[in-house]
C-alpha cells in the first residue's frame, strides 16, 4: 500500500468519527419515553399519597387527574447536566483538533486554518443545553387488585429507573 493513501484514509476515518460525535450530541437530547408496570403489595389508599409525595419531591407538580382518579399526570422541568455539557465540550475540542491535525498534514500550506474549527466547539454544549432542558410528563396509573396495586408508569426511561430504584426497592 502506498503512503499516498495514508493521510486521506486517516482524514476519512477522523471525519467519520466526527459525524458519529454529531449523532451522539443529537442523541443526548432525545426523549426516551417508556411504560413499565409493577405490582405493589400495598392498598391503593396507602400507596397513592406516597407516590404523590415521591413525585413532588422529585420536582414534579400535579398536572391533571382522570375523572375516576385512577390516572394522574405530573409535569416537571428537566434540567441539563453540567457534567454532560462539559463532556460534550471536551469531546468536541478533541474531535476538532484531530480533524485539524489531519488537515494540517494533508495541506501544509493552509492546513493551519483548520484549527479554526475549534472555535465552533462551543456549539456542542449549547445544542445539548438547549435541548436537554424541557418540560417532562409522567403518567401514573393505579389499579387496585385486592390487597395489591398495579402501578403503571409512563415517562422518561431514566425516571422509570430512578422510580424503581428509590421507591420500590427501598
Amino acid at each position: 500500500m502506498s503512503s499516498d493513501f495514508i493521510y486521506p484514509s486517516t482524514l476519512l476515518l477522523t471525519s467519520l468519527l466526527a459525524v458519529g460525535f454529531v449523532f451522539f450530541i443529537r442523541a443526548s437530547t432525545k426523549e426516551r419515553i417508556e411504560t413499565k408496570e409493577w405490582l405493589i403489595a400495598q392498598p391503593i389508599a396507602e400507596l397513592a399519597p406516597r407516590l404523590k409525595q415521591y413525585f413532588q419531591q422529585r420536582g414534579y407538580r400535579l398536572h391533571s387527574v382522570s375523572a375516576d382518579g385512577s390516572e394522574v399526570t405530573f409535569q416537571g422541568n428537566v434540567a441539563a447536566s453540567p457534567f454532560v455539557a462539559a463532556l460534550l465540550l471536551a469531546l468536541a475540542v478533541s474531535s476538532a483538533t484531530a480533524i485539524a491535525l489531519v488537515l494540517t498534514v494533508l495541506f501544509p500550506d493552509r492546513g493551519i486554518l483548520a484549527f479554526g474549527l475549534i472555535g465552533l466547539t462551543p456549539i456542542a454544549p449549547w445544542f445539548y443545553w438547549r435541548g436537554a432542558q424541557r418540560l417532562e410528563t409522567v403518567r401514573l396509573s393505579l389499579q387496585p387488585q385486592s390487597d395489591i396495586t398495579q402501578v403503571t408508569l409512563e415517562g422518561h426511561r431514566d425516571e422509570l429507573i430512578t422510580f424503581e430504584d428509590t421507591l420500590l426497592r427501598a
Side-chain angles (χ1 to χ4, degrees):
M1 182 171 165
S2 172
S3 64
D4 294 340
F5 294 110
I6 292 175
Y7 295 130
S9 63
T10 303
L11 176 62
L12 175 66
L13 292 174
T14 306
S15 299
L16 289 174
L17 287 172
V19 168
F21 173 67
V22 168
F23 283 103
F24 178 75
I25 293 171
R26 286 185 56 210
S28 69
T29 61
K30 184 180 178 184
E31 289 190 46
R32 292 170 176 83
I33 305 299
E34 294 181 5
T35 302
K36 203 164 184 182
E37 293 181 358
W38 298 273
L39 292 175
I40 300 177
Q42 276 186 320
I44 197 168
E46 292 176 20
L47 186 60
R50 185 174 161 215
L51 294 176
K52 181 180 176 185
Q53 180 185 15
Y54 167 81
F55 283 110
Q56 287 177 337
Q57 287 174 346
R58 299 264 311 142
Y60 288 91
R61 66 185 190 291
L62 185 61
H63 180 260
S64 65
V65 180
S66 66
D68 63 354
S70 66
E71 187 172 301
V72 179
T73 303
F74 293 95
Q75 287 187 333
N77 289 316
V78 176
S81 166
F83 172 77
V84 173
L87 174 68
L88 288 174
L89 179 61
L91 291 173
V93 169
S94 300
S95 178
T97 302
I99 290 174
L101 287 172
V102 172
L103 289 173
T104 301
V105 171
L106 276 175
F107 308 105
D109 296 339
R110 297 178 192 229
I112 197 73
L113 297 175
F115 282 97
L117 290 172
I118 297 172
L120 299 175
T121 59
I123 292 173
W126 172 81
F127 181 81
Y128 162 74
W129 203 265
R130 187 193 63 158
Q133 296 188 61
R134 63 184 174 275
L135 185 66
E136 194 164 290
T137 301
V138 175
R139 289 187 205 344
L140 177 66
S141 174
L142 303 174
Q143 300 296 326
Q145 299 176 356
S146 51
D147 288 345
I148 62 173
T149 304
Q150 178 183 344
V151 176
T152 305
L153 187 62
E154 178 186 311
H156 192 277
R157 177 182 63 194
D158 295 340
E159 190 61 49
L160 271 61
I161 291 169
T162 303
F163 176 80
E164 190 170 47
D165 287 346
T166 59
L167 197 66
L168 300 178
R169 292 188 182 159

